[in-house]
mmCIF file of all heavy atoms in Angstrom:
data_model
loop_
_atom_site.group_PDB
_atom_site.id
_atom_site.type_symbol
_atom_site.label_atom_id
_atom_site.label_comp_id
_atom_site.label_asym_id
_atom_site.label_seq_id
_atom_site.Cartn_x
_atom_site.Cartn_y
_atom_site.Cartn_z
ATOM 1 N N THR A 14 0.835 -1.213 0.000
ATOM 2 C CA THR A 14 0.000 0.000 0.000
ATOM 3 C C THR A 14 0.864 1.254 0.000
ATOM 4 O O THR A 14 0.567 2.228 -0.702
ATOM 5 C CB THR A 14 -0.934 -0.011 1.225
ATOM 6 O OG1 THR A 14 -1.767 -1.171 1.169
ATOM 7 C CG2 THR A 14 -1.813 1.232 1.250
ATOM 8 N N ILE A 15 1.924 1.236 0.780
ATOM 9 C CA ILE A 15 2.837 2.382 0.816
ATOM 10 C C ILE A 15 3.535 2.548 -0.526
ATOM 11 O O ILE A 15 3.668 3.663 -1.051
ATOM 12 C CB ILE A 15 3.862 2.194 1.956
ATOM 13 C CG1 ILE A 15 3.150 2.267 3.316
ATOM 14 C CG2 ILE A 15 4.975 3.248 1.872
ATOM 15 C CD1 ILE A 15 3.993 1.815 4.481
ATOM 16 N N ARG A 16 3.935 1.446 -1.117
ATOM 17 C CA ARG A 16 4.652 1.514 -2.395
ATOM 18 C C ARG A 16 3.765 2.079 -3.511
ATOM 19 O O ARG A 16 4.256 2.780 -4.403
ATOM 20 C CB ARG A 16 5.161 0.130 -2.782
ATOM 21 C CG ARG A 16 6.318 -0.368 -1.916
ATOM 22 C CD ARG A 16 6.821 -1.714 -2.416
ATOM 23 N NE ARG A 16 7.208 -1.595 -3.814
ATOM 24 C CZ ARG A 16 7.161 -2.612 -4.686
ATOM 25 N NH1 ARG A 16 6.725 -3.807 -4.314
ATOM 26 N NH2 ARG A 16 7.542 -2.424 -5.933
ATOM 27 N N THR A 17 2.458 1.780 -3.475
ATOM 28 C CA THR A 17 1.579 2.323 -4.521
ATOM 29 C C THR A 17 1.562 3.847 -4.490
ATOM 30 O O THR A 17 1.290 4.488 -5.505
ATOM 31 C CB THR A 17 0.133 1.808 -4.356
ATOM 32 O OG1 THR A 17 -0.369 2.192 -3.074
ATOM 33 C CG2 THR A 17 0.079 0.295 -4.487
ATOM 34 N N ARG A 18 1.867 4.421 -3.337
ATOM 35 C CA ARG A 18 1.868 5.877 -3.214
ATOM 36 C C ARG A 18 3.235 6.497 -3.464
ATOM 37 O O ARG A 18 3.320 7.670 -3.834
ATOM 38 C CB ARG A 18 1.383 6.281 -1.807
ATOM 39 C CG ARG A 18 -0.119 6.101 -1.621
ATOM 40 C CD ARG A 18 -0.494 6.088 -0.146
ATOM 41 N NE ARG A 18 -1.940 6.205 0.045
ATOM 42 C CZ ARG A 18 -2.795 5.212 -0.148
ATOM 43 N NH1 ARG A 18 -2.357 4.035 -0.541
ATOM 44 N NH2 ARG A 18 -4.102 5.396 0.047
ATOM 45 N N PHE A 19 4.318 5.731 -3.288
ATOM 46 C CA PHE A 19 5.642 6.352 -3.307
ATOM 47 C C PHE A 19 6.638 5.763 -4.303
ATOM 48 O O PHE A 19 7.692 6.354 -4.523
ATOM 49 C CB PHE A 19 6.254 6.298 -1.893
ATOM 50 C CG PHE A 19 5.548 7.176 -0.915
ATOM 51 C CD1 PHE A 19 4.617 6.647 -0.034
ATOM 52 C CD2 PHE A 19 5.791 8.544 -0.875
ATOM 53 C CE1 PHE A 19 3.948 7.455 0.867
ATOM 54 C CE2 PHE A 19 5.135 9.363 0.019
ATOM 55 C CZ PHE A 19 4.206 8.808 0.899
ATOM 56 N N ASP A 20 6.334 4.624 -4.928
ATOM 57 C CA ASP A 20 7.297 4.022 -5.860
ATOM 58 C C ASP A 20 7.675 4.963 -7.002
ATOM 59 O O ASP A 20 8.809 4.936 -7.490
ATOM 60 C CB ASP A 20 6.746 2.716 -6.438
ATOM 61 C CG ASP A 20 7.135 1.509 -5.593
ATOM 62 O OD1 ASP A 20 7.764 1.711 -4.529
ATOM 63 O OD2 ASP A 20 6.801 0.375 -5.983
ATOM 64 N N LYS A 21 6.736 5.770 -7.443
ATOM 65 C CA LYS A 21 7.005 6.654 -8.584
ATOM 66 C C LYS A 21 7.487 8.038 -8.153
ATOM 67 O O LYS A 21 7.507 8.971 -8.952
ATOM 68 C CB LYS A 21 5.742 6.780 -9.437
ATOM 69 C CG LYS A 21 5.341 5.463 -10.101
ATOM 70 C CD LYS A 21 4.105 5.626 -10.982
ATOM 71 C CE LYS A 21 3.725 4.301 -11.637
ATOM 72 N NZ LYS A 21 2.515 4.434 -12.495
ATOM 73 N N THR A 22 7.891 8.148 -6.896
ATOM 74 C CA THR A 22 8.446 9.406 -6.391
ATOM 75 C C THR A 22 9.903 9.186 -6.001
ATOM 76 O O THR A 22 10.425 8.060 -6.082
ATOM 77 C CB THR A 22 7.665 9.904 -5.158
ATOM 78 O OG1 THR A 22 7.994 9.092 -4.030
ATOM 79 C CG2 THR A 22 6.162 9.847 -5.404
ATOM 80 N N ASP A 23 10.547 10.254 -5.568
ATOM 81 C CA ASP A 23 11.924 10.120 -5.090
ATOM 82 C C ASP A 23 11.985 10.033 -3.568
ATOM 83 O O ASP A 23 13.061 10.141 -2.974
ATOM 84 C CB ASP A 23 12.784 11.296 -5.573
ATOM 85 C CG ASP A 23 12.245 12.643 -5.086
ATOM 86 O OD1 ASP A 23 11.189 12.673 -4.416
ATOM 87 O OD2 ASP A 23 12.894 13.661 -5.377
ATOM 88 N N LYS A 24 10.855 9.817 -2.945
ATOM 89 C CA LYS A 24 10.813 9.720 -1.477
ATOM 90 C C LYS A 24 11.162 8.291 -1.072
ATOM 91 O O LYS A 24 10.390 7.360 -1.303
ATOM 92 C CB LYS A 24 9.434 10.128 -0.969
ATOM 93 C CG LYS A 24 9.076 11.575 -1.287
ATOM 94 C CD LYS A 24 7.724 11.952 -0.719
ATOM 95 C CE LYS A 24 7.336 13.374 -1.118
ATOM 96 N NZ LYS A 24 8.262 14.372 -0.570
ATOM 97 N N ARG A 25 12.314 8.132 -0.456
ATOM 98 C CA ARG A 25 12.821 6.795 -0.152
ATOM 99 C C ARG A 25 13.258 6.609 1.299
ATOM 100 O O ARG A 25 13.481 5.493 1.743
ATOM 101 C CB ARG A 25 14.001 6.459 -1.069
ATOM 102 C CG ARG A 25 13.613 6.165 -2.517
ATOM 103 C CD ARG A 25 12.831 4.857 -2.585
ATOM 104 N NE ARG A 25 12.496 4.453 -3.941
ATOM 105 C CZ ARG A 25 11.427 4.854 -4.576
ATOM 106 N NH1 ARG A 25 10.577 5.685 -3.998
ATOM 107 N NH2 ARG A 25 11.176 4.430 -5.794
ATOM 108 N N LYS A 26 13.400 7.688 2.057
ATOM 109 C CA LYS A 26 13.866 7.564 3.438
ATOM 110 C C LYS A 26 12.693 7.195 4.355
ATOM 111 O O LYS A 26 11.719 7.934 4.457
ATOM 112 C CB LYS A 26 14.496 8.872 3.912
ATOM 113 C CG LYS A 26 15.825 9.198 3.236
ATOM 114 C CD LYS A 26 16.430 10.468 3.822
ATOM 115 C CE LYS A 26 17.774 10.772 3.172
ATOM 116 N NZ LYS A 26 18.372 12.023 3.721
ATOM 117 N N VAL A 27 12.833 6.052 5.015
ATOM 118 C CA VAL A 27 11.749 5.516 5.838
ATOM 119 C C VAL A 27 12.251 5.238 7.249
ATOM 120 O O VAL A 27 13.329 4.663 7.431
ATOM 121 C CB VAL A 27 11.192 4.206 5.236
ATOM 122 C CG1 VAL A 27 10.048 3.670 6.099
ATOM 123 C CG2 VAL A 27 10.745 4.411 3.804
ATOM 124 N N VAL A 28 11.466 5.656 8.231
ATOM 125 C CA VAL A 28 11.698 5.247 9.618
ATOM 126 C C VAL A 28 10.469 4.481 10.080
ATOM 127 O O VAL A 28 9.336 4.958 9.944
ATOM 128 C CB VAL A 28 11.945 6.449 10.548
ATOM 129 C CG1 VAL A 28 12.021 5.974 12.007
ATOM 130 C CG2 VAL A 28 13.234 7.161 10.175
ATOM 131 N N VAL A 29 10.717 3.280 10.618
ATOM 132 C CA VAL A 29 9.622 2.456 11.134
ATOM 133 C C VAL A 29 9.740 2.406 12.650
ATOM 134 O O VAL A 29 10.763 1.959 13.185
ATOM 135 C CB VAL A 29 9.656 1.030 10.556
ATOM 136 C CG1 VAL A 29 8.400 0.263 10.976
ATOM 137 C CG2 VAL A 29 9.771 1.062 9.039
ATOM 138 N N LEU A 30 8.706 2.886 13.338
ATOM 139 C CA LEU A 30 8.655 2.849 14.799
ATOM 140 C C LEU A 30 7.907 1.592 15.217
ATOM 141 O O LEU A 30 6.712 1.443 14.917
ATOM 142 C CB LEU A 30 7.937 4.091 15.333
ATOM 143 C CG LEU A 30 8.546 5.437 14.941
ATOM 144 C CD1 LEU A 30 7.607 6.571 15.342
ATOM 145 C CD2 LEU A 30 9.905 5.620 15.586
ATOM 146 N N CYS A 31 8.610 0.677 15.875
ATOM 147 C CA CYS A 31 8.004 -0.616 16.201
ATOM 148 C C CYS A 31 7.859 -0.816 17.699
ATOM 149 O O CYS A 31 8.756 -0.487 18.486
ATOM 150 C CB CYS A 31 8.856 -1.760 15.631
ATOM 151 S SG CYS A 31 8.851 -1.851 13.832
ATOM 152 N N GLY A 32 6.703 -1.355 18.102
ATOM 153 C CA GLY A 32 6.493 -1.759 19.480
ATOM 154 C C GLY A 32 6.976 -3.176 19.690
ATOM 155 O O GLY A 32 7.584 -3.789 18.787
ATOM 156 N N LYS A 33 6.689 -3.731 20.851
ATOM 157 C CA LYS A 33 7.204 -5.064 21.176
ATOM 158 C C LYS A 33 6.175 -6.171 20.942
ATOM 159 O O LYS A 33 6.470 -7.346 21.155
ATOM 160 C CB LYS A 33 7.677 -5.105 22.617
ATOM 161 C CG LYS A 33 6.601 -4.834 23.657
ATOM 162 C CD LYS A 33 7.201 -4.839 25.062
ATOM 163 C CE LYS A 33 6.128 -4.570 26.119
ATOM 164 N NZ LYS A 33 6.706 -4.558 27.491
ATOM 165 N N GLY A 34 4.967 -5.789 20.477
ATOM 166 C CA GLY A 34 3.924 -6.779 20.268
ATOM 167 C C GLY A 34 3.717 -7.113 18.801
ATOM 168 O O GLY A 34 4.606 -6.931 17.959
ATOM 169 N N LYS A 35 2.486 -7.578 18.504
ATOM 170 C CA LYS A 35 2.204 -8.027 17.132
ATOM 171 C C LYS A 35 2.211 -6.875 16.132
ATOM 172 O O LYS A 35 2.574 -7.068 14.973
ATOM 173 C CB LYS A 35 0.859 -8.752 17.100
ATOM 174 C CG LYS A 35 0.865 -10.071 17.866
ATOM 175 C CD LYS A 35 -0.381 -10.893 17.573
ATOM 176 C CE LYS A 35 -1.633 -10.218 18.062
ATOM 177 N NZ LYS A 35 -2.849 -11.029 17.825
ATOM 178 N N ASN A 36 1.803 -5.699 16.556
ATOM 179 C CA ASN A 36 1.833 -4.560 15.640
ATOM 180 C C ASN A 36 3.270 -4.254 15.233
ATOM 181 O O ASN A 36 3.539 -3.942 14.073
ATOM 182 C CB ASN A 36 1.186 -3.340 16.302
ATOM 183 C CG ASN A 36 0.833 -2.246 15.328
ATOM 184 O OD1 ASN A 36 1.420 -1.179 15.342
ATOM 185 N ND2 ASN A 36 -0.139 -2.497 14.458
ATOM 186 N N GLY A 37 4.183 -4.387 16.196
ATOM 187 C CA GLY A 37 5.592 -4.232 15.863
ATOM 188 C C GLY A 37 6.050 -5.289 14.874
ATOM 189 O O GLY A 37 6.850 -5.008 13.975
ATOM 190 N N GLY A 38 5.509 -6.505 15.019
ATOM 191 C CA GLY A 38 5.844 -7.568 14.064
ATOM 192 C C GLY A 38 5.414 -7.212 12.650
ATOM 193 O O GLY A 38 6.153 -7.436 11.680
ATOM 194 N N ASP A 39 4.223 -6.640 12.512
ATOM 195 C CA ASP A 39 3.773 -6.166 11.200
ATOM 196 C C ASP A 39 4.749 -5.123 10.659
ATOM 197 O O ASP A 39 5.051 -5.086 9.467
ATOM 198 C CB ASP A 39 2.376 -5.548 11.300
ATOM 199 C CG ASP A 39 1.293 -6.545 11.695
ATOM 200 O OD1 ASP A 39 1.529 -7.766 11.549
ATOM 201 O OD2 ASP A 39 0.228 -6.096 12.145
ATOM 202 N N GLY A 40 5.227 -4.250 11.555
ATOM 203 C CA GLY A 40 6.174 -3.215 11.150
ATOM 204 C C GLY A 40 7.495 -3.794 10.678
ATOM 205 O O GLY A 40 8.089 -3.292 9.714
ATOM 206 N N PHE A 41 7.971 -4.863 11.346
ATOM 207 C CA PHE A 41 9.217 -5.495 10.910
ATOM 208 C C PHE A 41 9.079 -6.040 9.488
ATOM 209 O O PHE A 41 9.986 -5.913 8.663
ATOM 210 C CB PHE A 41 9.597 -6.640 11.861
ATOM 211 C CG PHE A 41 9.901 -6.198 13.270
ATOM 212 C CD1 PHE A 41 9.516 -6.989 14.352
ATOM 213 C CD2 PHE A 41 10.577 -5.017 13.516
ATOM 214 C CE1 PHE A 41 9.792 -6.597 15.657
ATOM 215 C CE2 PHE A 41 10.855 -4.608 14.832
ATOM 216 C CZ PHE A 41 10.458 -5.405 15.898
ATOM 217 N N VAL A 42 7.931 -6.668 9.217
ATOM 218 C CA VAL A 42 7.702 -7.206 7.867
ATOM 219 C C VAL A 42 7.660 -6.069 6.847
ATOM 220 O O VAL A 42 8.275 -6.153 5.775
ATOM 221 C CB VAL A 42 6.387 -8.016 7.826
ATOM 222 C CG1 VAL A 42 6.122 -8.501 6.392
ATOM 223 C CG2 VAL A 42 6.443 -9.195 8.774
ATOM 224 N N ALA A 43 6.919 -5.007 7.159
ATOM 225 C CA ALA A 43 6.826 -3.878 6.235
ATOM 226 C C ALA A 43 8.205 -3.277 5.972
ATOM 227 O O ALA A 43 8.545 -2.937 4.825
ATOM 228 C CB ALA A 43 5.884 -2.818 6.806
ATOM 229 N N ALA A 44 9.014 -3.158 7.033
ATOM 230 C CA ALA A 44 10.373 -2.618 6.871
ATOM 231 C C ALA A 44 11.189 -3.491 5.929
ATOM 232 O O ALA A 44 11.896 -2.996 5.034
ATOM 233 C CB ALA A 44 11.043 -2.521 8.237
ATOM 234 N N ARG A 45 11.100 -4.811 6.116
ATOM 235 C CA ARG A 45 11.848 -5.738 5.263
ATOM 236 C C ARG A 45 11.416 -5.632 3.810
ATOM 237 O O ARG A 45 12.254 -5.569 2.888
ATOM 238 C CB ARG A 45 11.650 -7.162 5.801
ATOM 239 C CG ARG A 45 12.199 -8.267 4.912
ATOM 240 C CD ARG A 45 12.377 -9.561 5.671
ATOM 241 N NE ARG A 45 11.215 -9.946 6.455
ATOM 242 C CZ ARG A 45 10.187 -10.656 5.983
ATOM 243 N NH1 ARG A 45 10.161 -11.038 4.700
ATOM 244 N NH2 ARG A 45 9.180 -10.997 6.774
ATOM 245 N N LYS A 46 10.109 -5.601 3.583
ATOM 246 C CA LYS A 46 9.600 -5.546 2.208
ATOM 247 C C LYS A 46 9.982 -4.227 1.522
ATOM 248 O O LYS A 46 10.299 -4.208 0.331
ATOM 249 C CB LYS A 46 8.080 -5.720 2.215
ATOM 250 C CG LYS A 46 7.629 -7.106 2.654
ATOM 251 C CD LYS A 46 8.083 -8.183 1.687
ATOM 252 C CE LYS A 46 7.602 -9.549 2.099
ATOM 253 N NZ LYS A 46 8.053 -10.616 1.154
ATOM 254 N N LEU A 47 9.949 -3.142 2.254
ATOM 255 C CA LEU A 47 10.328 -1.854 1.660
ATOM 256 C C LEU A 47 11.815 -1.814 1.348
ATOM 257 O O LEU A 47 12.229 -1.322 0.294
ATOM 258 C CB LEU A 47 9.945 -0.714 2.600
ATOM 259 C CG LEU A 47 8.438 -0.453 2.744
ATOM 260 C CD1 LEU A 47 8.168 0.561 3.855
ATOM 261 C CD2 LEU A 47 7.842 0.045 1.424
ATOM 262 N N GLN A 48 12.632 -2.373 2.264
ATOM 263 C CA GLN A 48 14.079 -2.428 2.019
ATOM 264 C C GLN A 48 14.379 -3.255 0.768
ATOM 265 O O GLN A 48 15.212 -2.884 -0.067
ATOM 266 C CB GLN A 48 14.784 -3.043 3.230
ATOM 267 C CG GLN A 48 16.291 -3.228 3.077
ATOM 268 C CD GLN A 48 17.074 -1.965 3.342
ATOM 269 O OE1 GLN A 48 16.491 -0.928 3.633
ATOM 270 N NE2 GLN A 48 18.385 -2.025 3.219
ATOM 271 N N GLU A 49 13.680 -4.362 0.615
ATOM 272 C CA GLU A 49 13.888 -5.233 -0.550
ATOM 273 C C GLU A 49 13.519 -4.544 -1.852
ATOM 274 O O GLU A 49 13.973 -4.943 -2.933
ATOM 275 C CB GLU A 49 13.059 -6.515 -0.389
ATOM 276 C CG GLU A 49 13.567 -7.455 0.698
ATOM 277 C CD GLU A 49 12.619 -8.607 0.972
ATOM 278 O OE1 GLU A 49 11.472 -8.558 0.453
ATOM 279 O OE2 GLU A 49 12.990 -9.540 1.701
ATOM 280 N N ASN A 50 12.711 -3.497 -1.764
ATOM 281 C CA ASN A 50 12.262 -2.791 -2.963
ATOM 282 C C ASN A 50 12.898 -1.409 -3.097
ATOM 283 O O ASN A 50 12.332 -0.517 -3.735
ATOM 284 C CB ASN A 50 10.743 -2.686 -2.955
ATOM 285 C CG ASN A 50 10.075 -4.003 -3.313
ATOM 286 O OD1 ASN A 50 9.940 -4.338 -4.485
ATOM 287 N ND2 ASN A 50 9.668 -4.756 -2.290
ATOM 288 N N GLY A 51 14.066 -1.240 -2.496
ATOM 289 C CA GLY A 51 14.868 -0.053 -2.772
ATOM 290 C C GLY A 51 14.669 1.126 -1.857
ATOM 291 O O GLY A 51 15.203 2.209 -2.128
ATOM 292 N N TYR A 52 13.956 0.953 -0.773
ATOM 293 C CA TYR A 52 13.771 2.050 0.172
ATOM 294 C C TYR A 52 14.895 2.037 1.210
ATOM 295 O O TYR A 52 15.428 0.976 1.570
ATOM 296 C CB TYR A 52 12.408 1.951 0.863
ATOM 297 C CG TYR A 52 11.247 2.320 -0.032
ATOM 298 C CD1 TYR A 52 10.783 1.434 -1.001
ATOM 299 C CD2 TYR A 52 10.626 3.554 0.078
ATOM 300 C CE1 TYR A 52 9.720 1.770 -1.835
ATOM 301 C CE2 TYR A 52 9.556 3.900 -0.751
ATOM 302 C CZ TYR A 52 9.121 3.001 -1.705
ATOM 303 O OH TYR A 52 8.080 3.336 -2.528
ATOM 304 N N ASP A 53 15.258 3.197 1.677
ATOM 305 C CA ASP A 53 16.279 3.360 2.711
ATOM 306 C C ASP A 53 15.577 3.330 4.061
ATOM 307 O O ASP A 53 14.968 4.314 4.477
ATOM 308 C CB ASP A 53 17.008 4.692 2.497
ATOM 309 C CG ASP A 53 18.022 4.996 3.586
ATOM 310 O OD1 ASP A 53 18.347 4.081 4.372
ATOM 311 O OD2 ASP A 53 18.491 6.149 3.657
ATOM 312 N N VAL A 54 15.661 2.175 4.746
ATOM 313 C CA VAL A 54 14.842 1.921 5.922
ATOM 314 C C VAL A 54 15.678 1.863 7.194
ATOM 315 O O VAL A 54 16.759 1.281 7.219
ATOM 316 C CB VAL A 54 14.052 0.600 5.759
ATOM 317 C CG1 VAL A 54 13.191 0.335 6.990
ATOM 318 C CG2 VAL A 54 13.191 0.630 4.511
ATOM 319 N N ARG A 55 15.148 2.463 8.243
ATOM 320 C CA ARG A 55 15.730 2.354 9.582
ATOM 321 C C ARG A 55 14.586 2.072 10.556
ATOM 322 O O ARG A 55 13.484 2.611 10.401
ATOM 323 C CB ARG A 55 16.438 3.644 9.969
ATOM 324 C CG ARG A 55 17.145 3.601 11.334
ATOM 325 C CD ARG A 55 17.887 4.887 11.599
ATOM 326 N NE ARG A 55 18.984 5.057 10.662
ATOM 327 C CZ ARG A 55 20.225 4.623 10.859
ATOM 328 N NH1 ARG A 55 20.520 3.978 11.969
ATOM 329 N NH2 ARG A 55 21.159 4.838 9.951
ATOM 330 N N VAL A 56 14.867 1.212 11.546
ATOM 331 C CA VAL A 56 13.866 0.821 12.523
ATOM 332 C C VAL A 56 14.262 1.316 13.911
ATOM 333 O O VAL A 56 15.405 1.157 14.327
ATOM 334 C CB VAL A 56 13.683 -0.713 12.557
ATOM 335 C CG1 VAL A 56 12.742 -1.129 13.682
ATOM 336 C CG2 VAL A 56 13.152 -1.214 11.219
ATOM 337 N N PHE A 57 13.316 1.916 14.606
ATOM 338 C CA PHE A 57 13.494 2.307 15.999
ATOM 339 C C PHE A 57 12.584 1.439 16.869
ATOM 340 O O PHE A 57 11.374 1.360 16.622
ATOM 341 C CB PHE A 57 13.149 3.776 16.224
ATOM 342 C CG PHE A 57 14.120 4.750 15.609
ATOM 343 C CD1 PHE A 57 13.740 6.057 15.385
ATOM 344 C CD2 PHE A 57 15.409 4.368 15.257
ATOM 345 C CE1 PHE A 57 14.615 6.976 14.822
ATOM 346 C CE2 PHE A 57 16.300 5.268 14.692
ATOM 347 C CZ PHE A 57 15.911 6.577 14.469
#
C-alpha cells in the first residue's frame, strides 16, 4: 500500500517505529519488504 503511493516518487527515506507486540511484528515485515524494494529503511 505504501509503495503504490511512493514508488514513482523520489521519497525513499523511511523510519519504522516498532512496538514489542504483534503490531511491531507487522512493522518489521513492512520494513523488510520496503528495504527489498529499494527504500532506505531504519527501525526504531
Side-chain angles (χ1 to χ4, degrees):
T14 300
I15 293 168
R16 289 183 57 209
T17 59
R18 286 162 168 76
F19 291 99
D20 270 4
K21 294 182 180 180
T22 74
D23 59 358
K24 298 182 184 297
R25 287 292 184 273
K26 291 183 178 179
V27 181
V28 174
V29 187
L30 302 171
C31 292
K33 62 182 180 181
K35 293 192 295 182
N36 196 248
D39 295 341
F41 296 143
V42 177
R45 172 162 49 87
K46 293 296 182 180
L47 290 172
Q48 177 81 359
E49 290 172 350
N50 284 278
Y52 287 77
D53 176 13
V54 180
R55 183 177 294 270
V56 174
F57 290 161

